[in-house]
Amino acid sequence: MSRYDSASEGRRLRKRPSEDPISLLGLFVVTPVADSVKYAQRLRDLIAGAVEISRSADFESDDVSEDTLPSWFLELSSGEAGDVPGDPIGSEGKRGYQDARDDRPWNSGDWIYCFDPDLRAWSWWDVTVDENGRVCVWVDTKGEAHIPCEELRWAIFVSGAVDADPLTLEFSSAWSGQRSIGLAK
């Protein structure tokens, strides 16, 4: 089993990674709308649903099931601009994405195709909080500094981020010194 298979990625979404990371990890520093733990739970649930789909989906097909994606995400990812009633956190994140990226909202069908294992250039590592209270979303980019990851930025924002710094590479020792958040109890 490799750190890049979907089973390993699924474990890292539920529990703090037990394997050693490569020396450089991708990092997004995120400012959540509200509570950082709830933000992390929401992001983990979303990415876990997408990874679950990617394990068995036929991406050559015209129709990939979105059944394991959270309902809040499906409502936010209609491809339409505007808020979603009953989800102020996700709605603010959606506006944050559009402001930061000067782009239209994603459609969930287009978004899930970015999880095709043959196309995705990153795998989930962890979400932590640093000593300054900042939320840190860590991904394994195999040491690459510039990767296509707009689908990840969409997930980061609609999970409830007001802002997210651009992807940077950081030494994995920075991750290992931080506390994982949003894990299932």
Side-chain angles (χ1 to χ4, degrees):
M1 221 180 300
S2 122
R3 74 170 25 95
Y4 302 110
D5 69 25
S6 59
S8 295
E9 188 174 26
R11 278 192 301 282
R12 291 192 303 269
L13 282 153
R14 292 185 308 278
K15 299 180 352 185
R16 182 169 174 89
S18 58
E19 68 260 49
D20 291 330
I22 64 171
S23 61
L24 293 171
L25 290 171
L27 169 65
F28 290 95
V29 177
V30 177
T31 305
V33 171
D35 178 69
S36 60
V37 172
K38 288 181 184 172
Y39 169 79
Q41 289 169 334
R42 206 167 139 123
L43 180 60
R44 283 180 188 275
D45 287 347
L46 174 56
I47 301 299
V51 167
E52 182 63 29
I53 289 169
S54 75
R55 292 177 80 169
S56 60
D58 175 7
F59 286 99
E60 300 299 319
S61 166
D62 287 339
D63 190 28
V64 172
S65 172
E66 300 169 13
D67 291 348
T68 61
L69 298 178
S71 59
W72 60 262
F73 175 77
L74 295 172
E75 290 174 18
L76 287 162
S77 300
S78 66
E80 300 295 322
D83 293 353
V84 172
D87 190 356
I89 290 172
S91 293
E92 191 165 338
K94 183 176 180 178
R95 284 191 306 275
Y97 175 85
Q98 290 178 266
D99 291 346
R101 306 305 290 172
D102 194 30
D103 206 358
R104 67 171 176 78
W106 278 71
N107 170 290
S108 60
D110 294 339
W111 183 83
I112 197 61
Y113 274 90
C114 294
F115 280 80
D116 181 337
D118 294 332
L119 301 177
R120 192 160 50 112
W122 59 272
S123 63
W124 177 266
W125 191 259
D126 201 6
V127 60
T128 62
V129 63
D130 71 10
E131 66 279 354
N132 297 315
R134 300 178 311 167
V135 173
C136 300
V137 176
W138 298 91
V139 293
D140 188 336
T141 65
K142 299 181 182 176
E144 295 295 324
H146 302 288
I147 59 164
C149 61
E150 201 60 29
E151 74 283 0
L152 178 57
R153 290 186 68 76
W154 176 248
I156 285 170
F157 274 93
V158 297
S159 293
V162 175
D163 191 29
D165 291 349
L167 177 71
T168 60
L169 283 182
E170 300 295 331
F171 287 106
S172 59
S173 58
W175 163 79
S176 63
Q178 296 178 3
R179 178 176 54 89
S180 297
I181 58 173
L183 297 167
K185 300 282 180 197

